[in-house]
Amino acid sequence: MYGLSIALTDNATPFCRRVAVGIHASRIAPVVGRAGVNALRDFLFDLDGERANELGGKRQHFYAAAARSTQFQVEDSAAILSINHVGFAQRFFGGRIEPVNTRYLTIPARTEAYGKRAGEFDNLEVLYGRNGPWALAERESIDVSFRKGKKGTKAKAGQERGGLVLYFLVTSVDQEGDETVLPTSEELLGAVMPHVDSYIDRLVA
Amino acid sequence: MSFSSPVPFKEAIASRAVKTALPTSLSSKEIQDALSAELRERAMFSARMTDLGFLRKVNDLATRIVSPETITEDGVARPARPGEYMDKATARLQLKEAIRALGFHPGTEGVAPGSIKDFSSDARLNLILDTNVRMAQGYGFFQQGQDPAVLDEWPAQELFRAESREKPRDWASRWSAAGGKFFDGGRMIALKNAPIWSAISAFGLPYPPFDYNSGMDVRDIDRAEAVALGLVAEKEAVLPADRGLNDDLSVPVDERAAQLVAAVVKASAGALEFVKGVLKLKGS
């Protein structure tokens, strides 16, 4: 945090007024906020380029979306940086995730399931094991074709479909936090202060 | 660093709040041709979507993705509780349920299942959600950049590739065709309020996204670099731009909707009409 005090011997001159107004914490706070936002956006866009989904499949660009959700607000003359993207805090802090509106969490087991809610599939069935439900899988089916022959209509079995496990069902998940998804406070401060200095330098020049 | 709960992205939220749902039978191209950028900025629409309720639901879900920490019930905002935070997958599921409830089926609508014209497809719903969410965030970043102190420190910005694409568009050609200058062997940089940003945009807006499913974005260029590149003089003041959205928010919702409808019909010079609340080509 920074602190400034200025002794003004003559409030009437435009220069002193301009500097006093410009250096007031509420005027500097947007510069601090934007510098922080820019540093976070750059960091998160770079991270998005480095970290693809472990399951493979179509990129969801989680960190790029977090970058775009990054913004600042000024409250009580202080700049607050905010990343308004669901799941980001969980990535940073880790912790236990438990279901809120259902009994189980659905963990993607295949690339087709990643980034999708189980309810978006209309062909899933619950697989049960000794300890109860353990997965959601595609319902098995067989294509059947019919052919009229001399001795009547005959059915012929075709391609078998389904059976793949798309989601594992769990009652909770413990995730480790990952501090590398944010810059360090030193890196953030290092990105912010040069712009505060630059802004003040122009005011007093 | 100390951490606390996220704070609402006020500017992005305002850009959603100002929108009036505009059911329409027009195609994407017809909408682009008929409505100015300013009118499209104030309208919530999707090509050939004629259901008012669906459009309002899209706007509500896009707002909740932009501001997942807040939920509005009966016009009153409160902090969202665990299980209420909105993300794209949950929003897409809710829209699929909504489109099914409307009785929509690609077969009966004569569109290829899974295509961009199929309102129940991932392709269409992702496009709707991504475009609306990213426009709100793009506007928010733009608007925060218009603070006089911020604009003074960062008067310019650079167009860069934030996300890879299998088939990237030729942005350098688009930039050049719009009169943009290149720096340092290919960097696309201009003052924030230069007309080039609206000129390169498929939507005519000065903030990203600049086209459908685009991986491009902008990053600030500070005054020292902008001066070195010759974009601005060392002590030159850069004036903020005002899109006027905050002024519109002070107008009551019903009046704002009526004004938008009147403005759209007037701008079309008779080519468009509203029939039972749906914007159509006249006589169609």
mmCIF file of all heavy atoms in Angstrom, chain B residues 3 58 73 101 109 123-125 128 134-135 137 150 192 201 212 219 223 225 244 257 272-273 283:
data_model
loop_
_atom_site.group_PDB
_atom_site.id
_atom_site.type_symbol
_atom_site.label_atom_id
_atom_site.label_comp_id
_atom_site.label_asym_id
_atom_site.label_seq_id
_atom_site.Cartn_x
_atom_site.Cartn_y
_atom_site.Cartn_z
ATOM 1 N N PHE B 3 -7.504 -11.765 0.332
ATOM 2 C CA PHE B 3 -8.580 -12.183 -0.572
ATOM 3 C C PHE B 3 -9.936 -11.993 0.090
ATOM 4 O O PHE B 3 -10.092 -12.127 1.295
ATOM 5 C CB PHE B 3 -8.406 -13.659 -0.946
ATOM 6 C CG PHE B 3 -7.162 -13.935 -1.722
ATOM 7 C CD1 PHE B 3 -6.007 -14.346 -1.082
ATOM 8 C CD2 PHE B 3 -7.148 -13.775 -3.099
ATOM 9 C CE1 PHE B 3 -4.854 -14.595 -1.808
ATOM 10 C CE2 PHE B 3 -5.991 -14.022 -3.826
ATOM 11 C CZ PHE B 3 -4.845 -14.435 -3.173
ATOM 12 N N VAL B 58 -32.008 -15.850 -22.076
ATOM 13 C CA VAL B 58 -30.608 -15.752 -22.509
ATOM 14 C C VAL B 58 -29.945 -14.555 -21.833
ATOM 15 O O VAL B 58 -28.834 -14.666 -21.312
ATOM 16 C CB VAL B 58 -30.501 -15.599 -24.044
ATOM 17 C CG1 VAL B 58 -29.075 -15.252 -24.447
ATOM 18 C CG2 VAL B 58 -30.945 -16.861 -24.748
ATOM 19 N N GLU B 73 -33.668 -11.762 -7.745
ATOM 20 C CA GLU B 73 -34.980 -12.409 -7.637
ATOM 21 C C GLU B 73 -36.023 -11.322 -7.440
ATOM 22 O O GLU B 73 -35.891 -10.503 -6.525
ATOM 23 C CB GLU B 73 -34.995 -13.364 -6.435
ATOM 24 C CG GLU B 73 -34.292 -14.671 -6.701
ATOM 25 C CD GLU B 73 -34.266 -15.589 -5.470
ATOM 26 O OE1 GLU B 73 -34.299 -15.081 -4.334
ATOM 27 O OE2 GLU B 73 -34.187 -16.806 -5.664
ATOM 28 N N ALA B 101 -39.128 -26.921 -24.264
ATOM 29 C CA ALA B 101 -40.450 -26.522 -23.760
ATOM 30 C C ALA B 101 -41.223 -25.710 -24.784
ATOM 31 O O ALA B 101 -42.458 -25.694 -24.779
ATOM 32 C CB ALA B 101 -40.295 -25.716 -22.463
ATOM 33 N N GLU B 109 -38.435 -27.897 -37.833
ATOM 34 C CA GLU B 109 -38.091 -26.528 -38.228
ATOM 35 C C GLU B 109 -37.334 -26.499 -39.553
ATOM 36 O O GLU B 109 -37.038 -25.424 -40.074
ATOM 37 C CB GLU B 109 -37.232 -25.866 -37.143
ATOM 38 C CG GLU B 109 -37.923 -25.725 -35.791
ATOM 39 C CD GLU B 109 -39.119 -24.795 -35.840
ATOM 40 O OE1 GLU B 109 -39.046 -23.769 -36.551
ATOM 41 O OE2 GLU B 109 -40.124 -25.094 -35.178
ATOM 42 N N ALA B 123 -23.554 -25.972 -30.704
ATOM 43 C CA ALA B 123 -22.926 -24.934 -31.533
ATOM 44 C C ALA B 123 -23.678 -23.605 -31.418
ATOM 45 O O ALA B 123 -23.085 -22.548 -31.188
ATOM 46 C CB ALA B 123 -22.872 -25.387 -32.995
ATOM 47 N N ARG B 124 -25.025 -23.664 -31.541
ATOM 48 C CA ARG B 124 -25.821 -22.432 -31.501
ATOM 49 C C ARG B 124 -25.856 -21.843 -30.100
ATOM 50 O O ARG B 124 -25.640 -20.635 -29.909
ATOM 51 C CB ARG B 124 -27.243 -22.703 -31.988
ATOM 52 C CG ARG B 124 -28.127 -21.430 -32.033
ATOM 53 C CD ARG B 124 -27.523 -20.360 -32.896
ATOM 54 N NE ARG B 124 -28.318 -19.154 -32.980
ATOM 55 C CZ ARG B 124 -29.189 -18.901 -33.959
ATOM 56 N NH1 ARG B 124 -29.388 -19.785 -34.906
ATOM 57 N NH2 ARG B 124 -29.857 -17.762 -33.971
ATOM 58 N N LEU B 125 -26.096 -22.670 -29.112
ATOM 59 C CA LEU B 125 -26.218 -22.161 -27.740
ATOM 60 C C LEU B 125 -24.883 -21.640 -27.213
ATOM 61 O O LEU B 125 -24.837 -20.613 -26.523
ATOM 62 C CB LEU B 125 -26.792 -23.245 -26.817
ATOM 63 C CG LEU B 125 -28.230 -23.645 -27.149
ATOM 64 C CD1 LEU B 125 -28.685 -24.806 -26.273
ATOM 65 C CD2 LEU B 125 -29.199 -22.475 -26.996
ATOM 66 N N ILE B 128 -24.425 -18.226 -28.811
ATOM 67 C CA ILE B 128 -25.281 -17.219 -28.167
ATOM 68 C C ILE B 128 -24.683 -16.795 -26.831
ATOM 69 O O ILE B 128 -24.534 -15.600 -26.537
ATOM 70 C CB ILE B 128 -26.702 -17.770 -27.962
ATOM 71 C CG1 ILE B 128 -27.429 -17.922 -29.308
ATOM 72 C CG2 ILE B 128 -27.505 -16.855 -27.040
ATOM 73 C CD1 ILE B 128 -28.781 -18.610 -29.198
ATOM 74 N N ARG B 134 -19.124 -12.363 -23.669
ATOM 75 C CA ARG B 134 -17.890 -11.683 -24.028
ATOM 76 C C ARG B 134 -18.134 -10.226 -24.396
ATOM 77 O O ARG B 134 -17.282 -9.372 -24.159
ATOM 78 C CB ARG B 134 -17.188 -12.450 -25.138
ATOM 79 C CG ARG B 134 -16.585 -13.769 -24.651
ATOM 80 C CD ARG B 134 -15.773 -14.441 -25.724
ATOM 81 N NE ARG B 134 -14.744 -13.531 -26.197
ATOM 82 C CZ ARG B 134 -13.959 -13.762 -27.244
ATOM 83 N NH1 ARG B 134 -14.093 -14.893 -27.904
ATOM 84 N NH2 ARG B 134 -13.063 -12.890 -27.625
ATOM 85 N N MET B 135 -19.308 -9.937 -24.983
ATOM 86 C CA MET B 135 -19.606 -8.529 -25.294
ATOM 87 C C MET B 135 -19.758 -7.728 -24.006
ATOM 88 O O MET B 135 -19.308 -6.581 -23.919
ATOM 89 C CB MET B 135 -20.875 -8.425 -26.125
ATOM 90 C CG MET B 135 -20.598 -8.523 -27.583
ATOM 91 S SD MET B 135 -21.973 -7.989 -28.579
ATOM 92 C CE MET B 135 -21.262 -8.264 -30.195
ATOM 93 N N GLN B 137 -18.340 -8.383 -21.116
ATOM 94 C CA GLN B 137 -17.012 -8.235 -20.508
ATOM 95 C C GLN B 137 -16.147 -7.281 -21.329
ATOM 96 O O GLN B 137 -15.381 -6.488 -20.770
ATOM 97 C CB GLN B 137 -16.336 -9.600 -20.385
ATOM 98 C CG GLN B 137 -17.043 -10.507 -19.385
ATOM 99 C CD GLN B 137 -16.582 -11.950 -19.454
ATOM 100 O OE1 GLN B 137 -16.078 -12.426 -20.473
ATOM 101 N NE2 GLN B 137 -16.741 -12.683 -18.354
ATOM 102 N N VAL B 150 -7.130 6.516 -16.111
ATOM 103 C CA VAL B 150 -6.733 5.268 -16.783
ATOM 104 C C VAL B 150 -6.394 5.549 -18.246
ATOM 105 O O VAL B 150 -5.386 5.079 -18.781
ATOM 106 C CB VAL B 150 -7.868 4.218 -16.679
ATOM 107 C CG1 VAL B 150 -7.560 2.990 -17.524
ATOM 108 C CG2 VAL B 150 -8.084 3.814 -15.224
ATOM 109 N N LYS B 192 -7.096 4.053 -28.190
ATOM 110 C CA LYS B 192 -8.303 3.325 -27.771
ATOM 111 C C LYS B 192 -9.564 3.840 -28.452
ATOM 112 O O LYS B 192 -10.468 3.071 -28.750
ATOM 113 C CB LYS B 192 -8.475 3.447 -26.253
ATOM 114 C CG LYS B 192 -7.681 2.437 -25.484
ATOM 115 C CD LYS B 192 -7.943 2.563 -23.997
ATOM 116 C CE LYS B 192 -7.034 1.602 -23.268
ATOM 117 N NZ LYS B 192 -6.980 1.832 -21.836
ATOM 118 N N SER B 201 -14.592 -4.497 -36.479
ATOM 119 C CA SER B 201 -15.573 -5.334 -35.786
ATOM 120 C C SER B 201 -16.718 -5.728 -36.710
ATOM 121 O O SER B 201 -17.306 -4.879 -37.381
ATOM 122 C CB SER B 201 -16.125 -4.580 -34.571
ATOM 123 O OG SER B 201 -17.246 -5.255 -34.032
ATOM 124 N N TYR B 212 -17.712 -13.393 -34.570
ATOM 125 C CA TYR B 212 -18.240 -14.594 -33.926
ATOM 126 C C TYR B 212 -17.102 -15.581 -33.657
ATOM 127 O O TYR B 212 -16.241 -15.805 -34.506
ATOM 128 C CB TYR B 212 -19.285 -15.260 -34.827
ATOM 129 C CG TYR B 212 -20.548 -14.448 -35.011
ATOM 130 C CD1 TYR B 212 -20.842 -13.828 -36.220
ATOM 131 C CD2 TYR B 212 -21.452 -14.298 -33.958
ATOM 132 C CE1 TYR B 212 -22.001 -13.083 -36.374
ATOM 133 C CE2 TYR B 212 -22.609 -13.548 -34.113
ATOM 134 C CZ TYR B 212 -22.877 -12.940 -35.312
ATOM 135 O OH TYR B 212 -24.025 -12.199 -35.464
ATOM 136 N N ARG B 219 -5.146 -5.598 -25.428
ATOM 137 C CA ARG B 219 -4.427 -5.328 -24.191
ATOM 138 C C ARG B 219 -3.935 -3.881 -24.237
ATOM 139 O O ARG B 219 -3.618 -3.357 -25.303
ATOM 140 C CB ARG B 219 -3.266 -6.294 -23.993
ATOM 141 C CG ARG B 219 -2.218 -6.298 -25.063
ATOM 142 C CD ARG B 219 -1.076 -7.233 -24.666
ATOM 143 N NE ARG B 219 -0.387 -7.712 -25.860
ATOM 144 C CZ ARG B 219 -0.061 -8.975 -26.087
ATOM 145 N NH1 ARG B 219 -0.327 -9.914 -25.202
ATOM 146 N NH2 ARG B 219 0.550 -9.316 -27.198
ATOM 147 N N ARG B 223 1.315 4.959 -21.913
ATOM 148 C CA ARG B 223 1.625 6.210 -22.586
ATOM 149 C C ARG B 223 3.055 6.252 -23.082
ATOM 150 O O ARG B 223 3.317 6.744 -24.178
ATOM 151 C CB ARG B 223 1.340 7.400 -21.655
ATOM 152 C CG ARG B 223 1.602 8.757 -22.313
ATOM 153 C CD ARG B 223 1.096 9.891 -21.466
ATOM 154 N NE ARG B 223 -0.330 10.069 -21.662
ATOM 155 C CZ ARG B 223 -0.867 10.956 -22.498
ATOM 156 N NH1 ARG B 223 -0.086 11.732 -23.232
ATOM 157 N NH2 ARG B 223 -2.170 11.066 -22.603
ATOM 158 N N GLU B 225 4.956 3.890 -24.177
ATOM 159 C CA GLU B 225 5.074 3.153 -25.431
ATOM 160 C C GLU B 225 4.288 3.853 -26.547
ATOM 161 O O GLU B 225 4.745 3.916 -27.689
ATOM 162 C CB GLU B 225 4.585 1.707 -25.264
ATOM 163 C CG GLU B 225 4.880 0.847 -26.504
ATOM 164 C CD GLU B 225 4.640 -0.632 -26.293
ATOM 165 O OE1 GLU B 225 4.113 -1.029 -25.226
ATOM 166 O OE2 GLU B 225 4.976 -1.402 -27.221
ATOM 167 N N GLY B 244 -23.010 6.051 -24.007
ATOM 168 C CA GLY B 244 -24.357 6.510 -23.653
ATOM 169 C C GLY B 244 -25.220 5.471 -22.962
ATOM 170 O O GLY B 244 -26.405 5.702 -22.728
ATOM 171 N N ALA B 257 -37.950 0.248 -24.171
ATOM 172 C CA ALA B 257 -38.339 -0.759 -25.165
ATOM 173 C C ALA B 257 -39.099 -0.090 -26.320
ATOM 174 O O ALA B 257 -38.842 -0.373 -27.493
ATOM 175 C CB ALA B 257 -39.199 -1.842 -24.514
ATOM 176 N N LEU B 272 -38.808 -2.694 -42.467
ATOM 177 C CA LEU B 272 -39.126 -3.611 -41.376
ATOM 178 C C LEU B 272 -40.422 -3.199 -40.698
ATOM 179 O O LEU B 272 -40.817 -2.031 -40.740
ATOM 180 C CB LEU B 272 -38.007 -3.603 -40.324
ATOM 181 C CG LEU B 272 -36.603 -3.987 -40.797
ATOM 182 C CD1 LEU B 272 -35.605 -3.850 -39.656
ATOM 183 C CD2 LEU B 272 -36.598 -5.407 -41.341
ATOM 184 N N GLU B 273 -41.072 -4.169 -40.061
ATOM 185 C CA GLU B 273 -42.265 -3.865 -39.282
ATOM 186 C C GLU B 273 -42.326 -4.819 -38.103
ATOM 187 O O GLU B 273 -41.715 -5.895 -38.124
ATOM 188 C CB GLU B 273 -43.527 -4.017 -40.147
ATOM 189 C CG GLU B 273 -43.725 -5.414 -40.727
ATOM 190 C CD GLU B 273 -44.978 -5.530 -41.591
ATOM 191 O OE1 GLU B 273 -45.784 -4.574 -41.633
ATOM 192 O OE2 GLU B 273 -45.141 -6.592 -42.217
ATOM 193 N N GLY B 283 -44.077 -7.335 -45.032
ATOM 194 C CA GLY B 283 -44.761 -8.180 -46.000
ATOM 195 C C GLY B 283 -44.361 -9.650 -45.934
ATOM 196 O O GLY B 283 -44.913 -10.480 -46.664
#
